[in-house]
Amino acid sequence: MYCQMYTMKRTTLKDLAKLLNLSPSTISRALADHPDISENTKRRVQDVAKGMNYIPNLRAKYLRTRHSNVIALILPEMNMFFMPSLMNGINKVVENKDYSLIVLQSDNSLWKEKQLIQYCLNLSVDGILLSVSKETKNLSHLSPLLDNEVPVVLLDRLIDNDSFSTVNIANQEAAFKATNYLIEKGHQRIVGVFADTELSISTERILGFREAHAGSGIALRKNQILAIDNIEKFDTLFMRTLGKVKDVTAFFIMSDELMVRTFRLLRQCGYTIPDDCSLIAISDGEAPGFLFPNITHLLHSGYDVGEKAAHILIGLIKDYSDTVIDAKVKTALIEGGSVQEI
């Protein structure tokens, strides 16, 4: 006794054309809602296509047009801060421009980032939006994308280069503005809380923090810069710093995740904000409103960064050139109740 397997043949444009006595080109235009095709014909074609489970052959379309209409977004990690709004901004533009978006995660691994780049080439994506991994020190692994004329836009986590367009805020300027705001409120002993200094975003924000102190003639102690190379060590490193800088009156925090963690530990230690210490952060604007008092912040809109990056990428796809764009998204000071004048 044996079982014979049958494979159902995939319905093609030619099958639909033969059944409806129309040309394949008419079928194709009807399915694409082309204005030259009558509403009656479109309805007939679409009803029959649905009934026969017709699935467009995207590979055939790519071979015909040399466009897959697919954009890849490669992120180092997924978290509840910044990334959701970034993806929303990208997705709005992608959908409006009739592209599809695939989201891939490198897990902050250079090796995996390289694998994902090759995967995108194999998928024949039209373009890539890339936030580099923590391990990425240069962009040599993106050379195959240049060779195959696949546009790339770097966003949020960047590496200085002359070959790829970038979108971000002016990190040093934002950190300077936030720190200077505290100084103007009378704070002389401010602790800066930063992510791993191997990330350019961290080093740029540290420069802004230092610049604000130097411009005001305020000496900056070594212990006033807390750089977290491993988020799992945050509590230990923060408490150690808090013990060493006993006269701290304010904290500048470079990101939402670090802000939430700082807020939690300060409250756990019995600090009242802003009476005992003030807080200011660079934020995408969501998390500050969930805390009480609301946190004063420099608004770093993930939505605006994503929207801007997607527009630039699609422009490069439609008119591929060697043009390199360095776009900066503006930040704005949003005052909450977390900073007190002293």
Side-chain angles (χ1 to χ4, degrees):
M1 184 175 180
Y2 64 92
C3 179
Q4 187 172 0
M5 300 293 292
Y6 292 93
T7 302
M8 184 175 291
K9 180 179 177 289
R10 177 175 180 157
T11 301
T12 66
L13 283 176
K14 289 183 178 180
D15 294 332
L16 297 176
K18 184 177 181 181
L19 182 64
L20 292 164
N21 197 27
L22 297 169
S23 69
S25 62
T26 299
I27 297 292
S28 178
R29 284 182 293 166
L31 291 171
D33 201 25
H34 197 284
D36 290 348
I37 307 299
S38 71
E39 291 301 318
N40 183 55
T41 300
K42 288 178 187 176
R43 193 160 44 249
R44 284 176 57 215
V45 170
Q46 290 167 4
D47 286 347
V48 171
K50 184 177 180 180
M52 297 182 67
N53 295 317
Y54 170 74
I55 301 172
N57 188 334
L58 296 180
R59 182 171 180 80
K61 179 182 178 183
Y62 172 75
L63 292 172
R64 185 171 64 253
T65 65
R66 303 306 295 171
H67 285 289
S68 63
N69 278 57
V70 174
I71 287 172
L73 169 63
I74 302 177
L75 297 173
E77 60 189 349
M78 302 288 188
N79 59 50
M80 63 182 290
F81 306 105
F82 188 77
M83 295 305 179
S85 59
L86 177 79
M87 289 188 283
N88 285 337
I90 293 168
N91 202 51
K92 177 192 173 185
V93 177
V94 167
E95 285 189 346
N96 287 343
K97 297 295 184 179
D98 200 28
Y99 284 81
S100 296
L101 179 69
I102 59 171
V103 182
L104 306 167
Q105 182 174 321
S106 70
D107 296 324
N108 270 313
S109 161
L110 175 58
W111 176 85
K112 189 169 181 180
E113 187 172 286
K114 291 178 179 179
Q115 297 297 111
L116 293 176
I117 294 297
Q118 186 57 53
Y119 178 67
C120 289
L121 280 171
N122 294 343
L123 285 179
S124 300
V125 301
D126 283 348
I128 296 175
L129 296 166
L130 172 64
S131 182
V132 298
S133 77
K134 181 178 176 180
E135 296 178 354
T136 304
K137 307 303 179 189
N138 62 67
L139 301 175
S140 59
H141 59 300
L142 303 188
S143 295
L145 298 175
L146 288 175
D147 296 340
N148 286 275
E149 296 188 347
V150 178
V152 178
V153 174
L154 304 176
L155 66 166
D156 192 40
R157 287 191 187 175
L158 310 179
I159 289 179
D160 289 337
N161 75 100
D162 298 320
S163 301
F164 302 101
S165 295
T166 60
V167 180
N168 204 355
I169 65 169
N171 286 303
Q172 185 171 338
E173 178 186 284
F176 173 86
K177 286 163 62 176
T179 307
N180 202 55
Y181 178 84
L182 292 174
I183 292 172
E184 288 176 347
K185 293 291 186 181
H187 294 277
Q188 298 284 307
R189 193 68 67 212
I190 306 165
V191 168
V193 184
F194 302 91
D196 190 349
T197 54
E198 290 193 357
L199 299 173
S200 62
I201 190 173
S202 299
T203 57
E204 289 168 7
R205 293 181 184 187
I206 289 173
L207 284 173
F209 182 72
R210 289 184 178 280
E211 182 185 5
H213 281 84
S216 299
I218 299 173
L220 191 60
R221 300 174 190 168
K222 180 180 178 181
N223 290 327
Q224 285 177 244
I225 294 179
L226 172 60
I228 311 294
D229 62 348
N230 183 342
I231 198 64
E232 294 180 1
K233 299 178 182 177
F234 180 86
D235 288 17
T236 300
L237 295 175
F238 184 87
M239 294 303 293
R240 185 182 301 164
T241 298
L242 199 60
K244 291 180 178 179
V245 190
K246 297 184 182 299
D247 53 351
V248 59
T249 64
F251 289 85
F252 161 69
I253 310 149
M254 72 160 272
S255 71
D256 277 310
E257 183 175 10
L258 296 176
M259 176 192 71
V260 171
R261 290 173 180 270
T262 298
F263 184 91
R264 174 181 61 80
L265 280 181
L266 286 173
R267 293 297 298 270
Q268 185 177 306
C269 292
Y271 284 78
T272 300
I273 298 165
D275 295 340
D276 296 327
C277 66
S278 295
L279 296 184
I280 193 169
I282 296 176
S283 167
D284 75 352
E286 291 290 331
F290 297 146
L291 302 177
F292 183 81
N294 294 166
I295 306 300
T296 297
H297 59 280
L298 264 291
L299 179 62
H300 174 200
S301 170
Y303 189 92
D304 290 349
V305 170
E307 193 175 40
K308 173 76 76 175
H311 275 302
I312 291 173
L313 181 65
I314 291 173
L316 293 173
I317 291 169
K318 292 186 178 298
D319 183 23
Y320 187 83
S321 68
D322 294 332
T323 302
V324 175
I325 300 168
D326 180 21
K328 298 296 183 187
V329 175
K330 291 183 178 180
T331 57
L333 178 68
I334 308 297
E335 292 188 312
S338 65
V339 176
Q340 179 173 262
E341 189 166 0
I342 60 174

